[in-house]
Amino acid sequence: MSLIAGVVKTDQAVDFPADDGLRLMQAMRNYPADDSRVWHDRFAFLGCHAQRVTPESVHEVLPLYKEELRLAITADAFLDNRDELCDRLRIPFPLRNGMSDSELILLAYEKWGEDSAKFLLGDFAFVIWDADKRQLFGSRDLTGSRTLYYAFGRKREKFVFCSAVAPMFSVPGIERELDRDWLADFLALPTALDSTDPGSTAYRHIGQIPPGHSFTLRNGRLSLTRYGSLVSEERLNLSSDGEYEEAFRDVFGKAVSARLRTHKQVGATLSGGLDSGSVASFAAMALRHEGKTLYTYSSVPAPDFKPWTAPHMVPDERPFIRETVRHVGNIRDRYLNCPGRSPYSEIDEWLRMLEMPYKFFENSFWIKEVFESARSEGIGVLLTGAKGNNTVSWGSAAQYCVFLLKKWQWIRFYRQATLLSKQMKMRRSRLFPKIGMLAAPFPGGFPFSGAKPERTFPSMIHPDFAAKTQVFEKKGELFGRLENPNESMLEERQNYLGNLALLSMQGMSGAKLSLRYGLWERDPTSDPRVVRFCLSVPIEQYVLNGVGRSLIRRATERYLPDKIRLNMRFKGVQATDWVHRMLPSWPEFVREAKAIGDSAIAAECLNVSQIRSSLVKLEAQPPKPELAVDPDMKLVMRGLIVNRFLKSFE
C-alpha cells in the first residue's frame, strides 16, 4: 500500500518538472510510510511514499524502472490473482515468490499494453511511464478501492497525479478552487451518495480516474477507457442446491484467502450478522494453518446508553458476536465503546482525511476507533464485509414476494408468501400488509398495504444555488430514481454494483483510511469473482423455501453457529447511540449550527433557512437518543459538516 504521485511534462518549451515532483513528495510527508523514493528522466517524475504490507513489498523498490524495457512504474497495488498472472506471463516458479505486485503489473503492461488492467484482479492504482512512446498510462481497479487524482497545469504544460488531493496544491499552477457543480450535486442528492459523476471531485481543477478505468496521456492529451465492470450477464445452472452451496464456499474462500497475504497481523470488523461473520470464519480457519490468529474489532454502545429501538433491533450485538467467536475459534476479539467520541468530535479529522464533505457521519466515530486500534496491534490487513448485503447475503424473501407481485405471478407469490409466513411464524393476514408496504410504488397502490408515506428528507441546497447550477434540470430524473427506485430486486442489485459513482465514493473512504493509518482495508464480498458468481446464481437459490439469504445460510452450516446462521428475528443496528454521545457537547453543537451560513459562500450554497428551521424543531424539545433517525437532526449535522468544509475556501 502506497501513496503515489508524479508529474509529466506535456509542453516541450517548459522546464523539466523535477522540482514540482519534489514539492509533491514533501507535501506527502504527513502520511505514514516505510520508505519514500523518486525516479525521473527528462520528461517524467514518479514518486512513491510506500507502506509495506505484503511479504513481497518488504524489499520492494518503488518507483521501479526496468532499463531493458524502458518502463517505469509507481503503484499502490495488492493483486489477488498472482498465480494466474504468473502463469499467463510464463514466469518461472523460482522467481514468483519474491516478485512484487508492481513488477507483475509492469510485465503485464509489457505483454498486453493498454489492455493490461483487464488481466488484473485486486485493489490497485498504478501509473506507468513508457519512455519509448513518451506516454503515461495508469489504471484504477474495478471497485475503486484505491484513489487516483489528476490535474493539468494552468497552461496545460504539465500533468500531475496523486493518490491524495491536498499534495497536488503544492505544485505551482494547480489551484485550490471549489467545484460548485460538484457541490450542487452533493447538496441536492437525497441519498448518502456524494456525486453522480465518478470522475469529478470537490475541487474544480482536480479530476479522478473512475473505477474500472484506464487512462493514457500522450502528446498532452488525456483519454479515459473503461476496461471492465463488476456486472456480468453470465448465468449459472448447476444440478442441485448442494452444488450451489459448494460453489459458493469455493469462490468465497478463495476471495478471503487472497486477502490474507501480509507479513503483519490480520484483523476484521465483526458484527453479529452473516456477512462479517462469514468473512471472519473463513479467515480464522485459513489463518490457523499459517499459525496466525484473527483479530476482530466490534463497535458496542456507550456504557450508559439505554436502547430505544424496537425489540428486534439490537444496538448491542455482543451476545451474537461472542457466539461467532466461540464457534469459529482462533479469534482474538475486541469490543470498542469509543469513550469520549461522537460524530461531532471527529468532523475535523474526517474532513482532513477525506479532503471533502461527507454524509455518513453516524458511524464515523467507531470506524476511526477501529482503525486506530488495529494499527496499535500491528494489523496489516483489515477485512470487512461491507458489500455483502448486495452479494453474498443478498436475497430478501419479502422482496422476492414483491418481485413476484410486480410480475403478476400470483400463484408463485402465494406459495412463496405461505412459506415465508411459516418461516417468520406470522399469519398471512399480518404478513400480506407488510409485503404491500414494501411493494410501493405499486401501480395503483397495492391493496391491504396500509402504507404510510415516509417523511421526506429536507433539502440541503439553497433554491437560488440550485437554479444557478441547474442541478435539478440536469439530474432531477436521476435523483428521483435514486430516492424512489421503481425497479425489480434484480435490477436494483445490478444497478448498485454497476454504479461507478457509488463504488468510487465507498472505495475512496476505505483508501483514505488505509493511507492515514498504514493498514489495508479489504473486502472479500466485493471481489469481482464473488460479485460475478453471486449475480450468476438463480434468484430462487437466495430465497429457497421462503428463507431470505438462503444461499449463505446453507453454505455456512459448518462455519457459523445456528444462532447467527438461522437468525431471522433480530437485526443489529450500529450507531443508534450517536446522538446520545453528543449530549455532553450539545450546547456547542447548537451554537455552531446557529452560525451556519455566516460566511458568504455557505449562505450562497446551503439552504440556511431550512437548516435553521430544523434546528428550531430540535431546540423545542430536550435532546434525546431517538433523534438519531430524525431527518431534521441529520440535516443539521450534514449542513454543519459542509459549512466547516466551505470555511476552508474563505
Side-chain angles (χ1 to χ4, degrees):
M1 180 177 58
S2 305
L3 185 65
I4 63 174
V7 186
V8 171
K9 175 180 175 180
T10 57
D11 186 337
Q12 301 303 313
V14 301
D15 294 333
F16 171 68
D19 289 345
D20 290 340
L22 293 174
R23 289 187 184 95
L24 269 175
M25 298 302 292
Q26 179 67 14
M28 297 188 319
R29 67 189 183 278
N30 292 329
Y31 289 88
D34 300 308
D35 190 24
S36 186
R37 297 173 186 259
V38 302
W39 173 91
H40 66 82
D41 66 6
R42 292 187 303 146
F43 303 99
F45 178 103
L46 305 182
C48 185
H49 209 56
Q51 299 173 358
R52 292 169 170 163
V53 172
T54 66
E56 297 81 8
S57 69
V58 172
H59 303 294
E60 183 178 26
V61 175
L62 278 173
L64 171 67
Y65 178 65
K66 288 280 190 179
E67 177 68 40
E68 67 276 18
L69 303 177
R70 301 261 294 155
L71 298 174
I73 183 172
T74 186
D76 180 19
F78 195 134
L79 296 181
D80 294 330
N81 64 332
R82 283 175 57 90
D83 290 341
E84 175 191 342
L85 201 54
C86 286
D87 289 342
R88 285 178 177 270
L89 295 170
R90 298 183 179 179
I91 297 172
F93 282 95
L95 301 179
R96 295 185 179 190
N97 287 341
M99 188 170 285
S100 68
D101 289 357
S102 58
E103 188 170 3
L104 284 173
I105 294 172
L106 201 62
L107 294 175
Y109 176 79
E110 181 201 14
K111 183 175 179 65
W112 297 298
E114 294 172 29
D115 288 331
S116 53
K118 296 177 182 178
F119 299 91
L120 307 178
L121 280 176
D123 299 346
F124 59 80
F126 66 84
V127 177
I128 293 172
W129 173 247
D130 189 325
D132 286 338
K133 294 181 179 179
R134 206 172 292 177
Q135 167 183 293
L136 196 69
F137 173 78
S139 289
R140 187 178 177 196
D141 66 77
L142 288 172
T143 60
S145 299
R146 313 311 294 160
T147 48
L148 190 55
Y149 301 101
Y150 67 88
F152 282 95
R154 191 182 298 112
K155 298 180 180 179
R156 296 186 72 86
E157 76 285 2
K158 56 192 169 188
F159 178 84
V160 183
F161 68 87
C162 189
S163 304
V165 173
M168 300 174 72
F169 298 126
S170 67
V171 178
I174 308 298
E175 299 172 354
R176 186 178 185 274
E177 183 180 339
L178 179 68
D179 188 324
R180 280 172 158 73
D181 287 332
W182 183 94
L183 182 64
D185 217 6
F186 181 93
L187 297 176
L189 272 164
T191 66
L193 191 63
D194 56 22
S195 173
T196 57
D197 180 0
S200 67
T201 74
Y203 306 91
R204 183 180 174 189
H205 304 291
I206 308 292
Q208 66 174 320
I209 305 302
H213 278 68
S214 296
F215 78 88
T216 304
L217 180 74
R218 187 186 299 115
N219 298 325
R221 298 186 63 180
L222 181 72
S223 59
L224 292 175
T225 303
R226 185 168 186 177
Y227 66 81
S229 169
L230 287 176
V231 177
S232 170
E233 298 298 327
E234 293 182 11
R235 293 294 175 261
L236 197 60
N237 185 20
L238 302 180
S239 60
S240 69
D241 298 339
E243 287 190 13
Y244 284 105
E245 296 156 21
E246 184 57 38
F248 173 91
R249 286 189 292 267
D250 179 62
V251 69
F252 186 65
K254 287 177 180 176
V256 172
S257 295
R259 286 160 172 75
L260 306 180
R261 184 167 56 94
T262 178
H263 63 90
K264 298 183 177 183
Q265 299 299 323
V266 178
T269 55
L270 181 60
S271 70
L274 286 166
D275 300 330
S276 64
S278 297
V279 171
S281 178
F282 277 74
M285 291 181 181
L287 288 171
R288 185 180 285 114
H289 298 297
E290 300 180 25
K292 285 186 174 182
T293 299
L294 179 68
Y295 291 69
T296 62
Y297 303 91
S298 306
S299 166
V300 297
D304 60 342
F305 175 68
K306 292 181 174 53
W308 53 268
T309 55
H312 69 282
M313 308 295 280
V314 183
D316 190 346
E317 298 181 76
R318 271 175 286 196
F320 296 91
I321 295 168
R322 286 171 174 151
E323 189 71 18
T324 295
V325 171
R326 182 198 62 77
H327 181 89
V328 173
N330 196 38
I331 291 177
R332 186 176 300 175
D333 47 330
R334 299 283 189 271
Y335 301 91
L336 310 176
N337 62 25
C338 311
R341 286 188 166 170
S342 73
Y344 185 66
S345 68
E346 308 304 307
I347 293 174
D348 285 341
E349 178 63 21
W350 274 95
L351 287 175
R352 279 192 295 270
M353 185 163 50
L354 296 179
E355 307 174 297
M356 57 176 282
Y358 59 97
K359 297 176 181 177
F360 56 88
F361 59 84
E362 293 94 336
N363 55 8
S364 60
F365 62 94
W366 65 257
I367 291 176
K368 191 164 171 283
E369 178 110 345
V370 166
F371 273 80
E372 289 180 359
S373 300
R375 179 181 60 180
S376 70
E377 295 191 299
I379 301 300
V381 169
L382 182 69
L383 302 173
T384 75
K387 287 192 174 62
N389 283 342
N390 286 280
T391 57
V392 297
S393 70
W394 179 80
S396 162
Q399 288 289 357
Y400 183 54
C401 288
V402 173
F403 174 77
L404 295 175
L405 266 179
K406 290 187 175 183
K407 287 186 171 293
W408 303 101
Q409 297 183 18
W410 297 101
I411 295 176
R412 291 179 64 189
F413 162 74
Y414 184 82
R415 290 172 180 168
Q416 186 69 20
T418 299
L419 290 169
L420 177 59
S421 69
K422 291 179 180 178
Q423 294 292 343
M424 299 296 294
K425 298 180 180 178
M426 181 185 295
R427 293 178 181 273
R428 283 176 297 193
S429 59
R430 288 187 58 209
L431 178 65
F432 278 26
K434 294 181 181 294
I435 293 174
M437 292 176 69
L438 291 173
F442 189 85
F446 183 67
F448 322 121
S449 70
K452 296 180 180 179
E454 292 187 3
R455 185 179 165 194
T456 58
F457 195 89
S459 177
M460 191 161 50
I461 188 169
H462 194 292
D464 292 343
F465 184 55
K468 184 177 180 180
T469 57
Q470 296 186 312
V471 64
F472 289 113
E473 288 82 356
K474 295 175 182 176
K475 302 181 179 181
E477 183 180 346
L478 175 58
F479 291 172
R481 290 201 305 270
L482 289 169
E483 188 171 22
N484 298 299
N486 187 21
E487 52 198 8
S488 74
M489 61 189 298
L490 291 173
E491 293 169 330
E492 182 181 7
R493 179 172 62 157
Q494 283 205 302
N495 291 340
Y496 173 90
L497 295 169
N499 188 329
L500 295 184
L502 182 61
L503 292 174
S504 186
M505 181 189 75
Q506 294 172 337
M508 179 272 295
S509 61
K512 296 290 178 69
L513 283 161
S514 295
L515 290 171
R516 169 67 177 82
Y517 293 103
L519 54 93
W520 203 302
E521 182 186 75
R522 305 221 61 206
D523 182 4
T525 67
S526 68
D527 184 298
R529 294 165 295 189
V530 170
V531 175
R532 290 164 182 160
F533 168 82
C534 290
L535 289 173
S536 74
V537 172
I539 189 172
E540 290 76 17
Q541 284 295 319
Y542 292 102
V543 291
L544 202 63
N545 298 323
V547 177
R549 305 181 178 192
S550 174
L551 181 57
I552 193 172
R553 295 185 196 277
R554 292 161 15 229
T556 56
E557 184 174 1
R558 293 184 294 109
Y559 293 83
L560 290 176
D562 287 352
K563 182 175 181 177
I564 308 301
R565 191 174 64 86
L566 303 180
N567 172 37
M568 289 186 285
R569 291 186 58 202
F570 300 101
K571 179 178 175 59
V573 283
Q574 298 164 333
T576 55
D577 63 342
W578 72 267
V579 172
H580 171 79
R581 290 174 178 275
M582 284 177 54
L583 295 184
S585 56
W586 189 260
E588 180 185 352
F589 160 73
V590 170
R591 281 195 299 272
E592 183 174 358
K594 286 182 177 179
I596 292 174
D598 285 357
S599 68
I601 189 170
E604 174 194 355
C605 303
L606 286 170
N607 191 352
V608 177
S609 62
Q610 176 60 65
I611 292 172
R612 289 178 178 169
S613 175
S614 293
L615 185 60
V616 168
K617 295 178 184 178
L618 299 179
E619 287 189 288
Q621 55 185 318
K624 52 187 179 181
E626 291 88 334
L627 287 174
V629 295
D630 186 275
D632 289 304
M633 181 68 199
K634 292 185 177 184
L635 174 72
V636 174
M637 272 297 292
R638 287 184 181 182
L640 191 148
I641 291 168
V642 174
N643 193 63
R644 282 203 200 177
F645 176 74
L646 293 177
K647 281 186 175 181
S648 67
F649 289 91
E650 293 179 346

